[in-house]
Amino acid sequence: MRQRLKYISNRALLLLFAAWAVFVLTALLQSVLALFGKAPVWPAVIMTVLALLFLPALWFGVVVPYLRSEKMIRHFIEGYIFSESEEMEQAVLTPSLQLQMQSVAQILRSPQRIDLNKRQAQYLALQNQINPHFLYNTLESIRGEALIAGLDSVADMTEALAKFFRYTITKVENLVSVEEELDNCETYFGIQKYRFGDRLNLHIEYEPEDFDTIMNCRIPKLTLQPVLENSIIHGTELKLGAGNLYIHFECTQDRLLIRICDDGVGMDEETLARLNHKLGKSPDAFASEDAGGGIALENVNNRIHLLFGDEYGMHVYSVQGSGTDVEITLPVTSSDRQVRNRSVLS
């Protein structure tokens, strides 16, 4: 579509510039004839004025509308959907092109497309479980051998790792409850305790009267654990002495606020500004990964944006030498249907 518009417009511009060149040459010819007294002066004046007025008329009447149309089409291709027909009319699109863009926008908004994408994602997730199940079964075998050998600590660690891995590969839906996500965090933290021992402490905080609402909220799978892992690797692991991690929940009328804090080494202002700049950018389907191979904060933040919209997401606060707080803002959602409706409206 964009290439066709450019193809037609480029040739129209060539014709218009050729017409302007004719005006210029005619004006020069009439000026020369008038100079030698072989023609009256007024044709030369008229052709000169037309040649001078032709360029601004060409710019504002043809080039500017074309650039506006091309910009709108580029934004449309990048995924921005125009809701008002006036916006399209301002771009001076042809009726046929307008109709095509409106039809595509209607398809993109349809719940059927969202459901289709979800089913396709679930299919790919199920397909990708084939090889990971081999690793999960191997961990169970190692645990059995450790129990036979009397290595209880090895068996417990392997069981925790198998439980964590099973959660990762078997929960194919987009959303899980906060309770399920917290169970996974505690499993992950239990594995880390074998490494850090009493150096690492986890505290989960919430208002007792909000317990049921918080635990039943639906959030994207693997929202908390990657942030917790990031806090351990880049925060408490690098400090001397014991480290404390906090997962604090706060529930308002329509928002769930989650703050994951550590008292680790923190980060400088430049690093913090660079990280928050990345988190503020548009969702990237190919979000980067941490150096340790885990899911990066950008990945978690992008999934929140894609599911709930740009008004939700993640922001990081940090003071070097004192620790880091990662604040996650999510809607209070108790069912997948609410998220689907929210995705259609956003």
Side-chain angles (χ1 to χ4, degrees), residues 220-223 295 298-307:
K221 186 182 74 170
L222 294 175
T223 294
I295 298 176
E298 296 167 69
N299 180 295
V300 177
N301 189 60
N302 285 346
R303 286 188 287 122
I304 293 172
H305 283 172
L306 290 169
L307 281 172

Side-chain angles (χ1 to χ4, degrees), residues 94 189 194 217 308:
T94 65
F189 185 76
Y194 284 103
C217 274
F308 302 114

Side-chain angles (χ1 to χ4, degrees), residues 51-93:
L52 292 175
L53 293 178
F54 193 87
L55 277 180
L58 178 65
W59 176 259
F60 291 106
V62 178
V63 176
V64 171
Y66 165 71
L67 293 176
R68 192 184 298 127
S69 299
E70 190 179 48
K71 181 180 179 182
M72 173 169 280
I73 292 173
R74 183 171 65 253
H75 287 171
F76 187 80
I77 291 172
E78 290 172 354
Y80 181 77
I81 299 175
F82 301 94
S83 57
E84 299 294 335
S85 59
E86 288 79 6
E87 295 181 68
M88 293 188 179
E89 290 173 0
Q90 289 175 2
V92 198
L93 300 175

Side-chain angles (χ1 to χ4, degrees), residues 175 216-219 308 331-336 338-339 342:
L175 301 180
N216 290 320
C217 274
R218 307 284 287 175
I219 65 175
F308 302 114
V332 174
T333 307
S334 58
S335 69
D336 291 6
Q338 288 177 280
V339 177
R342 192 184 302 273

Side-chain angles (χ1 to χ4, degrees), residues 136 139-140 142-144 152-168 183-195 225:
Y136 170 70
L139 289 172
E140 287 294 327
I142 294 172
R143 175 176 175 271
D152 293 341
S153 61
V154 175
D156 291 342
M157 189 187 306
T158 306
E159 182 181 17
L161 182 58
K163 182 180 178 183
F164 173 78
F165 196 70
R166 181 170 54 189
Y167 175 84
T168 303
D183 286 343
N184 185 56
C185 284
E186 291 176 346
T187 300
Y188 169 77
F189 185 76
I191 296 171
Q192 294 298 327
K193 287 285 285 185
Y194 284 103
R195 178 184 176 191
Q225 183 273 326

Side-chain angles (χ1 to χ4, degrees), residues 20-313:
W20 175 75
V22 169
F23 278 115
V24 172
L25 291 174
T26 305
L28 288 174
L29 178 60
Q30 291 295 330
S31 298
V32 171
L33 292 175
L35 184 64
F36 288 100
K38 295 183 178 181
V41 177
W42 63 266
V45 174
I46 292 175
M47 296 307 296
T48 302
V49 171
L50 289 175
L52 292 175
L53 293 178
F54 193 87
L55 277 180
L58 178 65
W59 176 259
F60 291 106
V62 178
V63 176
V64 171
Y66 165 71
L67 293 176
R68 192 184 298 127
S69 299
E70 190 179 48
K71 181 180 179 182
M72 173 169 280
I73 292 173
R74 183 171 65 253
H75 287 171
F76 187 80
I77 291 172
E78 290 172 354
Y80 181 77
I81 299 175
F82 301 94
S83 57
E84 299 294 335
S85 59
E86 288 79 6
E87 295 181 68
M88 293 188 179
E89 290 173 0
Q90 289 175 2
V92 198
L93 300 175
T94 65
S96 175
L97 193 55
Q98 255 186 8
L99 184 60
Q100 291 179 47
M101 291 179 68
Q102 289 171 349
S103 299
V104 173
Q106 187 176 2
I107 294 171
L108 291 175
R109 291 194 190 99
S110 66
Q112 290 83 358
R113 177 181 177 272
I114 295 171
D115 289 339
L116 180 62
N117 285 344
K118 182 179 179 181
R119 285 196 296 271
Q120 184 180 14
Q122 289 175 339
Y123 170 78
L124 292 174
L126 289 168
Q127 190 178 46
N128 291 333
Q129 289 178 30
I130 297 172
N131 290 331
H133 267 298
F134 170 75
L135 178 57
Y136 170 70
N137 292 332
T138 303
L139 289 172
E140 287 294 327
S141 299
I142 294 172
R143 175 176 175 271
E145 292 294 326
L147 286 173
I148 293 173
L151 302 173
D152 293 341
S153 61
V154 175
D156 291 342
M157 189 187 306
T158 306
E159 182 181 17
L161 182 58
K163 182 180 178 183
F164 173 78
F165 196 70
R166 181 170 54 189
Y167 175 84
T168 303
I169 66 175
T170 57
K171 285 285 184 180
V172 298
E173 60 267 24
N174 282 332
L175 301 180
V176 295
S177 67
V178 169
E179 185 175 13
E180 290 175 297
E181 188 73 2
L182 271 180
D183 286 343
N184 185 56
C185 284
E186 291 176 346
T187 300
Y188 169 77
F189 185 76
I191 296 171
Q192 294 298 327
K193 287 285 285 185
Y194 284 103
R195 178 184 176 191
F196 293 98
D198 294 335
R199 278 191 58 205
L200 207 59
N201 300 288
L202 176 63
H203 311 272
I204 298 173
E205 302 173 338
Y206 50 82
E207 294 295 331
E209 60 268 21
D210 294 331
F211 176 79
D212 291 335
T213 303
I214 292 171
M215 291 299 122
N216 290 320
C217 274
R218 307 284 287 175
I219 65 175
K221 186 182 74 170
L222 294 175
T223 294
L224 304 182
Q225 183 273 326
V227 183
L228 190 65
E229 180 179 358
N230 194 76
S231 297
I232 293 173
I233 293 174
H234 300 294
T236 53
E237 182 179 355
L238 302 177
K239 67 172 289 188
L240 298 175
N244 292 285
L245 299 163
Y246 300 86
I247 304 178
H248 177 80
F249 295 92
E250 183 179 345
C251 194
T252 67
Q253 184 175 358
D254 57 354
R255 295 195 176 215
L256 175 65
L257 305 176
I258 306 172
R259 187 177 284 261
I260 300 176
C261 314
D262 66 71
D263 55 2
V265 297
M267 65 184 81
D268 58 67
E269 292 183 3
E270 183 181 350
T271 304
L272 178 64
R274 189 164 57 246
L275 175 58
N276 280 321
H277 176 70
K278 287 182 180 179
L279 296 177
K281 291 168 67 177
S282 297
D284 182 3
F286 303 98
S288 61
E289 293 186 349
D290 286 332
I295 298 176
L297 298 185
E298 296 167 69
N299 180 295
V300 177
N301 189 60
N302 285 346
R303 286 188 287 122
I304 293 172
H305 283 172
L306 290 169
L307 281 172
F308 302 114
D310 291 344
E311 61 182 299
Y312 301 99

Side-chain angles (χ1 to χ4, degrees), residues 6-20 54 58-59 61-64 66-67:
K6 185 175 289 187
Y7 178 86
I8 296 171
S9 299
N10 286 343
R11 278 147 184 77
L13 285 174
L14 285 175
L15 290 173
L16 289 169
F17 275 115
W20 175 75
F54 193 87
L58 178 65
W59 176 259
V62 178
V63 176
V64 171
Y66 165 71
L67 293 176

